[in-house]
Amino acid sequence: MAQVVLNDVVKTFGDVVAVDHLSLDIRDGEFVVLVGPSGCGKTTTLNMVAGLIELTAGMILIGDQVVNDLDPKDRDIAMVFQNYALYPSKTVWGNLAFPLQMRGTPKSEIERRIARAANILGIQHLLNRRPRELSGGQQQRVALGRAIVRDPKVFLMDEPLSNLDAKLRVQMRAELKRLRQELNTTFIYVTHDQLEAMTLADKIAILRDGKLQQYGTPDEVFQHPTNMFVGGFIGSPAMNFLLGNLVVSNGSGRVQSKSGWAFPLEGESLRKAMRSQTGEVVVGVRHGHLKISLTPVAGAVEATIYAIEPTGDVTYVHIKLGDDLIVASVTPPFPGRPDDRVWISLDQQHLHIFDARTQEALSV
Amino acid sequence: MSAVASKTSLAYRSRPRRRIDPWNIAGVAFMAFLLVFSVVPMLWMLSTSLKGQFAALQIPPEWIPSNPTLEQYALLLSPSSDIGPRFMRFFANSFVVSMTTTLLGVLIAIPAAYAFSRFRFPGRDFLFFVVLVRNMFPVVVFLIPLFILMKALGLVNTYGSIILTYLTFGLPLSIWLLKGFFDNIPEELERAARIDGATRFKAFWLIIMPLTSPGIIATSIYSFIGAWNEYVYAATFLNDESLLTLPVGLQRFFSEFATNWPGLMAAAFIMSVPVVVMFIVLQKYFVRALTEGAIKA
């Protein structure tokens, strides 16, 4: 167990800046998820913590030790790869034993630890098989097993669930969560799937183009995204963004779009919007905070239904609002039909106000 | 669901059977031609080696010898005949030269190919290009330059001269072949091994090498055959009869005054035995190496 500190880490490949002055403070025993679209630098960051890629600048600490120049084998870490990277010429037992053998663990201890890991992951019956004889889910378990046979200071996981089918992924996600409770070790987990990030993490670091966008608990990044990118990336379906000009008259305000619609802004949302330098703001509203009515409502904006997606427990209604397409969710049954007219209003308590130019969240 | 799937696949399979694909016929005909082309000379060699001196020159030729004799084989393998000890000597020379070439070649090619496959270093692409460019010239082009070089090094008329020469020709191809094998092994395997506590070398030795063995075997066979059969350089660089390799030795001995065809063919047949045995023993690796290429991890 150990803390991991990234201090102003930079990695460039030629002219390309893969990781741009990244600083992260990961406390002992914390489960931190690095999340972002492909090419955001999350895997590069993980590989630098692992020691597989050298830093261009900055410093990485594991525990209290600066590990910049330390070989991967001396960092006391374990890693699970996206394609599992099981050793094809070794049996499952051989795969699990390898990290212990490399560290000169006594034979009896190796047996004991493999038995324990196999037991935790339910792979006792597979020990004599070779990786190619295993299903994807089984390979995944063996890869996890190879990481947990030792007691490393830090677990590194590079999209470990992304090669599994949807059902298995949900199952393994729960098992990872469970495993994490039992091991109580520091985890750094890379994924592009915001749902995985939300469900697993103690803290989420959202990266984009090598830059850290926001670092906080799942609740913080969901409730208080610091910019439009985070707002749009976390949560599914994505947050709706409504671009318009702030118009204030007689103490009341509204956001007026070029395509004609205008939504009123009240209270804190209005005060935030007034912080904008240019008066051009983006209102971010999640699908659950849009109210839809099939009959006219005072102050609501008229729009048309574009498409309806029932999912069973919730129905997503795609709405054409001026030139924009937005998504709202309603509890079924929803009586509307495509091309019907609807009236939508915003839940003033749950609006996110961004500056249209800087794309940063505005605060009072 | 699986029942449905198998039914459709059955229906699918039976359809093309109805008409005969002209390409298939052309393919079979071509393969048959190739087979005849490569096998008939072998059979002719075997047939001639079993004939007497006169029967070998008879026209029209006897395809199957009417009085087969193992006389030539007996002479070649007898320690007391004129040719026997010399033949054994040539055979041993060839074996030593080919083995040394193969072992040295593989020992050099493995790390070189691994480096080309895994490391990024300045001039990497250029170097690899240079390695390959060698293969674009006919080997004879290098005969005189290499001879001058060997003379300067004082290596003419030693095994060293031809072993070095064979390495010059064999290495580029070996490196290129092996690089292909290393390229097909996911880099994550070494990364995993290094995180699991292995040094770079141990990761290579314990994890990557076992996966490359079919490739290494195929490369070795290739380089062995190249050295075993080579004639031009051996004929130029070696003079001393005690140093001659099989192809040169046989040619000199059997055509000194008049060509003894049955003797030469018997010797050639014996010469092909090690290669054929090697192929049969290692065939499964060779085929796997050529067809599979990628090792699924």
Side-chain angles (χ1 to χ4, degrees):
Chain A
M1 301 217 296
Q3 59 161 355
V4 177
V5 178
L6 279 73
N7 194 349
D8 209 22
V9 170
V10 177
K11 178 66 197 180
T12 56
F13 296 104
D15 295 337
V16 182
V17 183
V19 176
D20 197 354
H21 297 281
L22 176 65
S23 294
L24 280 180
D25 215 327
I26 298 166
R27 270 185 243 132
D28 188 6
E30 232 170 18
F31 195 121
V32 168
V33 175
L34 308 180
V35 67
S38 53
C40 72
K42 53 192 192 296
T43 296
T44 307
T45 304
L46 195 73
N47 283 335
M48 284 193 287
V49 176
L52 296 167
I53 299 182
E54 282 178 29
L55 281 71
T56 305
M59 207 199 305
I60 295 180
L61 287 93
I62 297 178
D64 298 321
Q65 192 183 10
V66 177
V67 296
N68 283 27
D69 298 319
L70 219 53
D71 218 47
K73 71 180 170 61
D74 301 321
R75 295 193 182 197
D76 198 12
I77 46 173
M79 187 158 171
V80 177
F81 293 83
Q82 181 172 3
N83 62 4
Y84 315 139
L86 299 178
Y87 309 128
S89 54
K90 294 182 186 294
T91 60
V92 169
W93 192 94
N95 269 277
L96 297 180
F98 188 75
L100 300 170
Q101 289 164 341
M102 283 297 107
R103 288 177 165 77
T105 315
K107 191 103 181 27
S108 57
E109 178 70 6
I110 291 179
E111 290 292 354
R112 199 184 63 76
R113 280 169 177 254
I114 290 181
R116 193 194 62 152
N119 190 32
I120 291 176
L121 296 163
I123 51 173
Q124 300 97 321
H125 60 296
L126 303 173
L127 290 175
N128 292 321
R129 303 244 195 112
R130 285 185 197 277
R132 78 174 81 89
E133 298 160 355
L134 305 178
S135 69
Q138 290 170 333
Q139 292 187 7
Q140 169 69 69
R141 281 164 205 271
V142 177
L144 281 173
R146 196 172 61 186
I148 66 170
V149 282
R150 292 192 300 119
D151 290 318
K153 284 185 189 153
V154 185
F155 283 112
L156 306 176
M157 308 213 161
D158 186 7
E159 308 228 9
L161 302 184
S162 61
N163 283 8
L164 300 176
D165 64 54
K167 197 177 159 199
L168 206 51
R169 196 179 312 159
V170 174
Q171 188 195 333
M172 285 307 291
R173 203 169 66 201
E175 291 196 20
L176 262 178
K177 187 113 198 183
R178 180 79 213 163
L179 189 66
R180 184 271 140 107
Q181 281 159 11
E182 280 168 36
L183 298 173
N184 199 26
T185 306
T186 313
F187 275 74
I188 307 178
Y189 186 107
V190 161
T191 181
H192 62 269
D193 182 347
Q194 57 89 22
L195 186 62
E196 253 172 55
M198 292 295 282
T199 49
L200 287 169
D202 292 330
K203 273 189 171 174
I204 298 180
I206 298 133
L207 291 152
R208 180 202 196 183
D209 297 335
K211 289 194 187 77
L212 183 64
Q213 304 293 305
Q214 189 169 358
Y215 183 43
T217 64
D219 202 46
E220 277 166 16
V221 298
F222 187 79
Q223 303 291 350
H224 306 289
T226 54
N227 59 32
M228 283 175 66
F229 176 78
V230 174
F233 193 81
I234 301 290
S236 173
M239 183 185 275
N240 298 297
F241 293 119
L242 305 167
L243 169 69
N245 278 303
L246 180 66
V247 180
V248 185
S249 56
N250 303 332
S252 70
R254 59 194 156 89
V255 177
Q256 173 81 50
S257 92
K258 289 199 177 69
S259 59
W261 53 257
F263 283 106
L265 281 185
E266 295 162 12
E268 196 170 310
S269 298
L270 178 60
R271 289 201 300 278
K272 283 178 183 169
M274 286 168 76
R275 290 280 181 157
S276 161
Q277 302 276 322
T278 57
E280 221 184 352
V281 294
V282 172
V283 176
V285 55
R286 295 200 188 274
H287 55 85
H289 301 136
L290 278 169
K291 281 176 263 180
I292 311 180
S293 167
L294 290 167
T295 50
V297 178
V301 174
E302 190 182 330
T304 31
I305 297 177
Y306 183 75
I308 300 171
E309 290 180 327
T311 65
D313 49 0
V314 62
T315 296
Y316 295 111
V317 185
H318 296 254
I319 298 161
K320 190 125 178 64
L321 171 69
D323 298 332
D324 301 308
L325 262 184
I326 59 174
V327 187
S329 58
V330 293
T331 317
F334 178 70
R337 302 169 61 86
D339 296 326
D340 279 0
R341 289 197 295 168
V342 287
W343 283 264
I344 52 182
S345 48
L346 310 178
D347 179 348
Q348 294 290 329
Q349 303 304 312
H350 293 99
L351 297 184
H352 305 271
I353 311 292
F354 302 97
D355 187 302
R357 190 175 51 83
T358 63
Q359 308 214 329
E360 297 293 321
L362 294 165
S363 55
V364 201
Chain B
M1 170 148 174
S2 69
V4 174
S6 67
K7 236 186 244 169
T8 42
S9 69
L10 265 182
Y12 209 83
R13 221 181 296 154
S14 64
R15 217 175 294 155
R17 290 248 174 103
R18 259 182 258 154
R19 63 196 176 84
I20 298 155
D21 187 351
W23 282 109
N24 272 342
I25 300 174
V28 169
F30 184 66
M31 292 306 284
F33 171 73
L34 277 186
L35 190 71
V36 170
F37 195 79
S38 56
V39 168
V40 166
M42 295 283 287
L43 293 176
W44 186 235
M45 178 174 84
L46 183 63
S47 159
T48 308
S49 73
L50 297 172
K51 292 175 188 170
Q53 287 283 1
F54 294 106
L57 298 170
Q58 196 177 314
I59 291 177
E62 278 184 339
W63 288 98
I64 296 163
S66 48
N67 298 309
T69 165
L70 289 172
E71 186 196 348
Q72 298 298 340
Y73 290 93
L75 280 174
L76 283 169
L77 300 175
S78 143
S80 54
S81 69
D82 179 30
I83 174 71
R86 294 202 242 176
F87 179 73
M88 290 305 178
R89 177 83 212 180
F90 299 154
F91 196 96
N93 290 347
S94 265
F95 195 77
V96 168
V97 167
S98 305
M99 263 312 189
T100 315
T101 306
T102 306
L103 290 179
L104 274 179
V106 169
L107 278 180
I108 298 168
I110 289 174
Y114 185 76
F116 275 124
S117 170
R118 289 295 195 256
F119 301 145
R120 304 283 168 270
F121 49 87
R124 171 174 167 272
D125 293 342
F126 176 73
L127 268 175
F128 193 60
F129 174 73
V130 169
V131 161
L132 282 182
V133 151
R134 223 294 308 136
N135 277 3
M136 296 172 191
F137 295 96
V139 289
V140 193
V141 169
F142 298 96
L143 190 57
I144 291 167
L146 277 176
F147 186 82
I148 294 168
L149 206 64
M150 292 304 162
K151 203 163 157 58
L153 292 170
L155 289 175
V156 171
N157 209 23
T158 63
Y159 287 160
S161 65
I162 52 172
I163 289 171
L164 277 179
T165 307
Y166 296 168
L167 283 177
T168 333
F169 298 142
L171 267 179
L173 196 71
S174 301
I175 292 172
W176 183 73
L177 274 174
L178 284 174
K179 178 182 178 287
F181 283 98
F182 288 129
D183 283 349
N184 276 323
I185 298 174
E187 225 164 316
E188 276 87 356
L189 287 181
E190 285 125 297
R191 296 183 161 193
R194 289 177 64 203
I195 284 171
D196 282 345
T199 58
R200 233 180 205 288
F201 180 76
K202 270 192 178 169
F204 165 73
W205 188 252
L206 296 174
I207 301 299
I208 304 304
M209 276 287 282
L211 294 176
T212 333
S213 49
I216 292 170
I217 287 168
T219 310
S220 305
I221 294 180
Y222 209 90
S223 116
F224 185 90
I225 293 174
W228 185 256
N229 289 338
E230 203 282 328
Y231 176 81
V232 176
Y233 281 85
T236 314
F237 290 174
L238 303 175
N239 286 316
D240 217 331
E241 197 193 89
S242 66
L243 291 176
L244 295 184
T245 54
L246 269 176
V248 186
L250 294 183
Q251 197 270 339
R252 293 229 180 127
F253 181 80
F254 283 103
S255 45
E256 209 163 4
F257 306 109
T259 306
N260 168 5
W261 287 112
L264 189 57
M265 289 304 117
F269 187 79
I270 295 174
M271 182 179 157
S272 65
V273 168
V275 176
V276 172
V277 168
M278 211 156 84
F279 253 113
I280 291 170
V281 173
L282 301 175
Q283 184 199 31
K284 69 172 179 185
Y285 294 104
F286 201 69
V287 171
R288 211 169 104 199
L290 291 181
T291 55
E292 195 172 285
I295 287 133
K296 282 156 208 107

